[in-house]
Amino acid sequence: MIGARSKKYLSLFALACCVATFAFYLRFKSEENEIKIKQQFDFSASLFEKIVDEEKLNAFAISLILSQNSDVVRCFESGKHGECMDVTKKYKDILSAVPFYTGVKIHFHTQSARSLARSWSDEFYNDDLSSFRHSLLQIRQSLLPKALVEMGRCGVFMRGISPVFSEGKFIGSAEIMLDFEHVIAQINRIGNDIFILVDKRFETDCFYDKIGVIKDFIVVNSAPDYDVLSILATLDFGAQSFIKKDGHYFYVRAFSDENGTKLGYIILHREG
């Protein structure tokens, strides 16, 4: 017969086993949840790249059509800023009627890579772009259109750039610029937040849609979650790709241009 002391030990042992089993179960469920979140982040990151590629091709196609438009060619032939401004605003208004392109920008450049007209600025033109807009120099050399993500004086955009010709002579290039708001909205719809952080060294006097700065990065989202930004400000982005902190999960991926130049980071987020 089992004595009272033995029964007590058995009860304590059984309780310890239950506690250990329950703790193991909780740990298993937590790890299972983290695996699911990582999988969702991987999917979102892949989706982000896919949508960006599609948006670049959309910008490419529109720039190609625009470069052969008679209004556009005439304005380039005139070389007049005012005339080209009217053209950029006209076609920006037309494109903005499409929900995906409400934030579209049009930029015309001369054959010497100077700004001829920006659809979003009447006063800001004739600045030399050749020192940092490498795509414009590539197009001048190849005379072929290009789709890419590139940092410019006024921010980072998905871009389509096409050469403009008059009687077979290269006279400049027409550019369609798309921001990341449509991409961000699609990632948000599947349950993840996304923040695009650009290295502060790229900041200029006209950096577009500058929202704020955390550490040495500019947040280019138009409506970021400031509570989450306060947590982001404490993280070491370069240390690891998957981070859990204060009940929040983050996925960090470097953000680079077509030439492999690191622009900053893409941060995915969700609450646990």
Side-chain angles (χ1 to χ4, degrees):
M1 179 177 289
I2 301 175
R5 181 175 293 182
S6 298
K7 287 182 179 180
K8 180 179 179 181
Y9 287 147
L10 285 173
S11 297
L12 290 175
F13 177 74
L15 178 62
C17 287
C18 289
V19 170
T21 300
F22 184 66
F24 176 79
Y25 173 77
L26 291 179
R27 182 178 177 183
F28 169 77
K29 295 300 290 184
S30 176
E31 290 178 350
E32 185 180 48
N33 184 53
E34 287 189 10
I35 290 172
K36 288 180 179 179
I37 291 173
K38 287 179 182 178
Q39 290 173 339
Q40 290 174 341
F41 280 158
D42 286 336
F43 175 77
S44 293
S46 297
L47 180 62
F48 174 85
E49 292 177 350
K50 180 177 182 294
I51 299 171
V52 167
D53 285 341
E54 291 174 349
E55 293 292 275
K56 288 190 302 183
L57 289 177
N58 287 338
F60 174 91
I62 298 170
S63 74
L64 190 58
I65 294 170
L66 201 62
S67 70
Q68 300 176 41
N69 178 278
S70 58
D71 290 341
V72 173
V73 174
R74 276 196 299 271
C75 104
F76 272 89
E77 289 173 336
S78 75
K80 295 178 180 179
H81 167 69
E83 184 175 335
C84 286
M85 275 302 303
D86 290 341
V87 174
T88 62
K89 289 180 179 180
K90 172 183 176 180
Y91 288 100
K92 178 190 183 304
D93 289 343
I94 291 172
L95 290 169
S96 294
V98 181
F100 289 169
Y101 303 131
T102 53
V104 69
K105 292 176 171 53
I106 300 175
H107 194 183
F108 292 163
H109 331 96
T110 68
Q111 66 268 46
S112 59
R114 299 187 78 86
S115 176
L116 181 57
R118 290 176 167 95
S119 64
W120 65 97
S121 174
D122 283 297
E123 297 81 21
F124 195 43
Y125 69 99
N126 201 38
D127 49 312
D128 187 357
L129 309 171
S130 60
S131 64
F132 58 95
R133 291 297 311 279
H134 305 299
S135 58
L136 302 182
L137 303 182
Q138 292 169 358
I139 286 173
R140 186 170 68 186
Q141 293 170 356
S142 69
L143 301 180
L144 296 172
K146 193 173 182 65
L148 72 162
V149 171
E150 187 178 40
M151 180 66 64
R153 184 168 183 175
C154 296
V156 59
F157 294 90
M158 297 168 285
R159 306 172 186 264
I161 314 171
S162 295
V164 178
F165 298 95
S166 175
E167 297 181 354
K169 180 183 177 182
F170 172 69
I171 56 174
S173 51
E175 178 176 26
I176 292 293
M177 302 160 55
L178 300 176
D179 61 27
F180 288 85
E181 292 307 308
H182 174 55
V183 183
I184 291 169
Q186 293 200 57
I187 299 299
N188 291 160
R189 276 197 287 270
I190 61 174
N192 291 323
D193 301 320
I194 183 168
F195 300 88
I196 300 176
L197 275 56
V198 171
D199 197 302
K200 198 173 185 296
R201 66 190 174 92
F202 294 109
E203 184 179 20
T204 67
D205 53 345
C206 78
F207 199 102
Y208 184 72
D209 274 352
K210 175 185 171 183
I211 298 302
V213 176
I214 59 171
K215 293 188 174 180
D216 295 321
F217 298 93
I218 300 167
V219 183
V220 300
N221 299 53
S222 65
D225 185 324
Y226 289 97
D227 292 334
V228 178
L229 287 183
S230 65
I231 300 175
L232 275 178
T234 68
L235 303 182
D236 181 358
F237 305 132
Q240 52 188 318
S241 61
F242 184 76
I243 303 170
K244 180 182 178 182
K245 184 169 184 178
D246 299 335
H248 295 260
Y249 293 92
F250 299 92
Y251 179 95
V252 183
R253 177 173 289 194
F255 182 40
S256 302
D257 65 13
E258 305 296 313
N259 297 317
T261 300
K262 184 177 174 182
L263 304 178
Y265 293 97
I266 302 297
I267 311 290
L268 294 169
H269 162 262
R270 69 178 300 149
E271 291 189 42

